[in-house]
Amino acid sequence: MGSSRFHLAYKNIKRLRRIATIFARYGFRPFMDRMHLGRLVAVHSRIFGAGPLPIEGLTVAARFRCALEDLGPTFIKFGQILSTRPDIIPEEFLVELLKLQDEVAPIPFKEVRGVIEAQFERPVEGLFSTIEREPVAAASIAQVHRAVTADGREVVVKVQRPGIEATIDTDISILGFLADLAERYIPESRVYGPKSVVDEFSRVIRREMDFTLEASYTERFRENFAGDDRVVIPRVHWELTGRKVLTMDRVSGIKVDR
């Protein structure tokens, strides 16, 4: 395993211990042992096994999904990426991982305000005439609030969760470390290329963290479908958009999976 990845994992030993413990509590202790991580599993889990977790009757795929949910935003996103890979993920796991697309607990509006004001170095009241305190959606990286611009346009504002970049950086380094261990100690995993999967995930999620890229892609789609009445692409408000905040026209619709 690469020394740099081991160093990064060592610096974040508490997080690595939590990851090993959560997977062990959901019934994946044998894999932790095979990757030589059994010694990191918290003592109470080594003694009492799954503890109070309601894993009885759950399939292996469901337990894997639950473990990812418990480990938070990075692992939820990782599961979402895996759900798009039927070439390497069995169907029963794909079905479970698709459930990770659902909403997660929102952050308080005070934190949302802090991110917006840090992005634009202006108070929220100087940017929007109104902004709803309760989000209309909350996901692993960001949440969305309805608002009205100073000139009266109805918009939605996508705001990145504070501190999420540092969390993702830590977790990606640990995922890389785990992928190294898997390829070293679990030979049958090599056919799936764990390190390649983590590298792909790292590229995808780091792009997602820059909302100006999403804004640019949206604008490109808008230009491509200009004049086509069958397709509506919301307009990006660039003066209210930055790396951690994305503001677009409010458009009603139905989720694509419905």
Side-chain angles (χ1 to χ4, degrees), residues 160-178:
Q160 194 171 115
R161 289 175 175 261
I164 192 66
E165 281 188 288
T167 298
I168 286 174
D169 283 344
T170 294
D171 284 348
I172 285 176
S173 70
I174 293 174
L175 278 169
F177 176 66
L178 294 175

mmCIF file of all heavy atoms in Angstrom, residues 160-178:
data_model
loop_
_atom_site.group_PDB
_atom_site.id
_atom_site.type_symbol
_atom_site.label_atom_id
_atom_site.label_comp_id
_atom_site.label_asym_id
_atom_site.label_seq_id
_atom_site.Cartn_x
_atom_site.Cartn_y
_atom_site.Cartn_z
ATOM 1 N N GLN A 160 -24.015 24.737 -0.316
ATOM 2 C CA GLN A 160 -23.163 23.636 0.120
ATOM 3 C C GLN A 160 -23.108 23.554 1.649
ATOM 4 O O GLN A 160 -23.072 24.570 2.335
ATOM 5 C CB GLN A 160 -21.754 23.841 -0.437
ATOM 6 C CG GLN A 160 -20.858 22.628 -0.362
ATOM 7 C CD GLN A 160 -19.559 22.839 -1.133
ATOM 8 O OE1 GLN A 160 -18.484 22.870 -0.539
ATOM 9 N NE2 GLN A 160 -19.665 23.008 -2.440
ATOM 10 N N ARG A 161 -23.091 22.345 2.162
ATOM 11 C CA ARG A 161 -23.002 22.159 3.606
ATOM 12 C C ARG A 161 -21.639 22.659 4.114
ATOM 13 O O ARG A 161 -20.599 22.342 3.536
ATOM 14 C CB ARG A 161 -23.158 20.675 3.962
ATOM 15 C CG ARG A 161 -24.564 20.152 3.758
ATOM 16 C CD ARG A 161 -24.651 18.649 4.004
ATOM 17 N NE ARG A 161 -26.050 18.227 3.917
ATOM 18 C CZ ARG A 161 -26.826 18.039 4.967
ATOM 19 N NH1 ARG A 161 -26.354 18.219 6.191
ATOM 20 N NH2 ARG A 161 -28.090 17.668 4.820
ATOM 21 N N PRO A 162 -21.625 23.440 5.190
ATOM 22 C CA PRO A 162 -20.353 23.962 5.699
ATOM 23 C C PRO A 162 -19.449 22.831 6.188
ATOM 24 O O PRO A 162 -19.902 21.881 6.825
ATOM 25 C CB PRO A 162 -20.797 24.860 6.868
ATOM 26 C CG PRO A 162 -22.151 24.379 7.246
ATOM 27 C CD PRO A 162 -22.780 23.879 5.992
ATOM 28 N N GLY A 163 -18.153 22.942 5.847
ATOM 29 C CA GLY A 163 -17.181 21.952 6.287
ATOM 30 C C GLY A 163 -17.195 20.657 5.508
ATOM 31 O O GLY A 163 -16.408 19.744 5.789
ATOM 32 N N ILE A 164 -18.071 20.556 4.494
ATOM 33 C CA ILE A 164 -18.199 19.295 3.777
ATOM 34 C C ILE A 164 -16.943 18.964 2.971
ATOM 35 O O ILE A 164 -16.588 17.794 2.806
ATOM 36 C CB ILE A 164 -19.446 19.308 2.856
ATOM 37 C CG1 ILE A 164 -19.747 17.897 2.326
ATOM 38 C CG2 ILE A 164 -19.280 20.287 1.717
ATOM 39 C CD1 ILE A 164 -20.153 16.917 3.387
ATOM 40 N N GLU A 165 -16.232 19.974 2.476
ATOM 41 C CA GLU A 165 -15.014 19.713 1.698
ATOM 42 C C GLU A 165 -13.970 19.000 2.536
ATOM 43 O O GLU A 165 -13.332 18.046 2.085
ATOM 44 C CB GLU A 165 -14.453 21.017 1.131
ATOM 45 C CG GLU A 165 -15.169 21.508 -0.108
ATOM 46 C CD GLU A 165 -14.458 22.686 -0.752
ATOM 47 O OE1 GLU A 165 -14.491 23.788 -0.179
ATOM 48 O OE2 GLU A 165 -13.865 22.493 -1.825
ATOM 49 N N ALA A 166 -13.755 19.483 3.777
ATOM 50 C CA ALA A 166 -12.769 18.852 4.656
ATOM 51 C C ALA A 166 -13.179 17.420 4.979
ATOM 52 O O ALA A 166 -12.335 16.503 4.993
ATOM 53 C CB ALA A 166 -12.607 19.665 5.936
ATOM 54 N N THR A 167 -14.471 17.216 5.226
ATOM 55 C CA THR A 167 -14.976 15.873 5.514
ATOM 56 C C THR A 167 -14.730 14.941 4.340
ATOM 57 O O THR A 167 -14.268 13.796 4.505
ATOM 58 C CB THR A 167 -16.482 15.923 5.826
ATOM 59 O OG1 THR A 167 -16.695 16.723 6.991
ATOM 60 C CG2 THR A 167 -17.048 14.528 6.060
ATOM 61 N N ILE A 168 -15.033 15.430 3.138
ATOM 62 C CA ILE A 168 -14.860 14.604 1.940
ATOM 63 C C ILE A 168 -13.388 14.318 1.681
ATOM 64 O O ILE A 168 -13.011 13.191 1.323
ATOM 65 C CB ILE A 168 -15.529 15.287 0.735
ATOM 66 C CG1 ILE A 168 -17.053 15.148 0.864
ATOM 67 C CG2 ILE A 168 -15.044 14.685 -0.591
ATOM 68 C CD1 ILE A 168 -17.841 15.899 -0.176
ATOM 69 N N ASP A 169 -12.513 15.304 1.863
ATOM 70 C CA ASP A 169 -11.076 15.080 1.677
ATOM 71 C C ASP A 169 -10.578 13.973 2.604
ATOM 72 O O ASP A 169 -9.813 13.090 2.189
ATOM 73 C CB ASP A 169 -10.300 16.374 1.943
ATOM 74 C CG ASP A 169 -10.400 17.361 0.795
ATOM 75 O OD1 ASP A 169 -10.806 16.944 -0.311
ATOM 76 O OD2 ASP A 169 -10.073 18.543 0.997
ATOM 77 N N THR A 170 -10.993 14.041 3.874
ATOM 78 C CA THR A 170 -10.590 13.018 4.836
ATOM 79 C C THR A 170 -11.096 11.646 4.410
ATOM 80 O O THR A 170 -10.337 10.665 4.372
ATOM 81 C CB THR A 170 -11.142 13.348 6.241
ATOM 82 O OG1 THR A 170 -10.529 14.546 6.712
ATOM 83 C CG2 THR A 170 -10.852 12.215 7.227
ATOM 84 N N ASP A 171 -12.380 11.572 4.066
ATOM 85 C CA ASP A 171 -12.977 10.282 3.742
ATOM 86 C C ASP A 171 -12.433 9.701 2.441
ATOM 87 O O ASP A 171 -12.292 8.476 2.319
ATOM 88 C CB ASP A 171 -14.502 10.411 3.670
ATOM 89 C CG ASP A 171 -15.139 10.494 5.050
ATOM 90 O OD1 ASP A 171 -14.442 10.217 6.045
ATOM 91 O OD2 ASP A 171 -16.333 10.845 5.132
ATOM 92 N N ILE A 172 -12.115 10.551 1.478
ATOM 93 C CA ILE A 172 -11.547 10.039 0.227
ATOM 94 C C ILE A 172 -10.179 9.429 0.479
ATOM 95 O O ILE A 172 -9.833 8.376 -0.078
ATOM 96 C CB ILE A 172 -11.468 11.157 -0.840
ATOM 97 C CG1 ILE A 172 -12.866 11.442 -1.397
ATOM 98 C CG2 ILE A 172 -10.530 10.752 -1.970
ATOM 99 C CD1 ILE A 172 -12.899 12.584 -2.390
ATOM 100 N N SER A 173 -9.373 10.077 1.324
ATOM 101 C CA SER A 173 -8.054 9.517 1.627
ATOM 102 C C SER A 173 -8.201 8.157 2.315
ATOM 103 O O SER A 173 -7.439 7.220 2.045
ATOM 104 C CB SER A 173 -7.244 10.480 2.502
ATOM 105 O OG SER A 173 -7.775 10.570 3.811
ATOM 106 N N ILE A 174 -9.206 8.038 3.196
ATOM 107 C CA ILE A 174 -9.420 6.769 3.885
ATOM 108 C C ILE A 174 -9.972 5.713 2.926
ATOM 109 O O ILE A 174 -9.580 4.544 2.974
ATOM 110 C CB ILE A 174 -10.357 6.969 5.095
ATOM 111 C CG1 ILE A 174 -9.640 7.827 6.155
ATOM 112 C CG2 ILE A 174 -10.762 5.632 5.700
ATOM 113 C CD1 ILE A 174 -10.504 8.211 7.328
ATOM 114 N N LEU A 175 -10.885 6.122 2.028
ATOM 115 C CA LEU A 175 -11.387 5.189 1.024
ATOM 116 C C LEU A 175 -10.247 4.658 0.158
ATOM 117 O O LEU A 175 -10.215 3.466 -0.191
ATOM 118 C CB LEU A 175 -12.443 5.870 0.147
ATOM 119 C CG LEU A 175 -13.858 5.944 0.715
ATOM 120 C CD1 LEU A 175 -14.724 6.873 -0.134
ATOM 121 C CD2 LEU A 175 -14.490 4.563 0.796
ATOM 122 N N GLY A 176 -9.314 5.542 -0.186
ATOM 123 C CA GLY A 176 -8.153 5.096 -0.954
ATOM 124 C C GLY A 176 -7.328 4.080 -0.188
ATOM 125 O O GLY A 176 -6.841 3.085 -0.748
ATOM 126 N N PHE A 177 -7.154 4.350 1.100
ATOM 127 C CA PHE A 177 -6.424 3.428 1.972
ATOM 128 C C PHE A 177 -7.132 2.077 2.049
ATOM 129 O O PHE A 177 -6.509 1.013 1.940
ATOM 130 C CB PHE A 177 -6.308 4.069 3.362
ATOM 131 C CG PHE A 177 -5.669 3.189 4.403
ATOM 132 C CD1 PHE A 177 -4.345 2.817 4.303
ATOM 133 C CD2 PHE A 177 -6.409 2.757 5.495
ATOM 134 C CE1 PHE A 177 -3.753 2.014 5.275
ATOM 135 C CE2 PHE A 177 -5.834 1.959 6.464
ATOM 136 C CZ PHE A 177 -4.494 1.584 6.361
ATOM 137 N N LEU A 178 -8.459 2.091 2.209
ATOM 138 C CA LEU A 178 -9.228 0.858 2.276
ATOM 139 C C LEU A 178 -9.161 0.082 0.955
ATOM 140 O O LEU A 178 -9.105 -1.156 0.947
ATOM 141 C CB LEU A 178 -10.682 1.163 2.623
ATOM 142 C CG LEU A 178 -10.938 1.744 4.028
ATOM 143 C CD1 LEU A 178 -12.404 2.120 4.185
ATOM 144 C CD2 LEU A 178 -10.518 0.760 5.110
#
